[in-house]
Amino acid sequence: MIGPSILSCCFEVDEDVKDLFVETFENLKVMENIKLGNKKDGKQKYFIDTMGINYKEMLSLGLQKEHICLSSICTKCNKDWMHSYRGDPIENGRNIAFICLKGD
Ligand SMILES: [Zn+2]
């Protein structure tokens, strides 16, 4: 399971962060996961689909599609019941999940 996490609807970044993603994951064609946003205060903004990039990375490492589950919950859009630093940088917490295999 990937997520819940901030999704591309809310993960807005400046060009320097966008460039880090492109450089770090250059083997994954991440420009497909980056959308052009508006300019704010003269700075070009970008929206990054980090979940899509994580999905591509898992596939590149050999995981099978049917073994990967993507959450469609954006933590910032749902900050009333999920923790989100970007949703509330003052009163935020952390989201934690525990996973285990059930034995016989
Ligand atoms: Zn969102």
Side-chain angles (χ1 to χ4, degrees), residues 5-11 74-78:
S5 67
I6 193 166
L7 299 181
S8 59
C9 51
C10 292
F11 193 55
C74 173
T75 50
K76 186 178 177 191
C77 288
N78 294 283

Side-chain angles (χ1 to χ4, degrees), residues 87-104:
D88 188 348
I90 306 295
E91 295 289 329
N92 65 75
R94 298 292 179 264
N95 301 301
I96 298 174
F98 295 95
I99 300 171
C100 68
L101 292 173
K102 187 176 178 182
D104 291 328

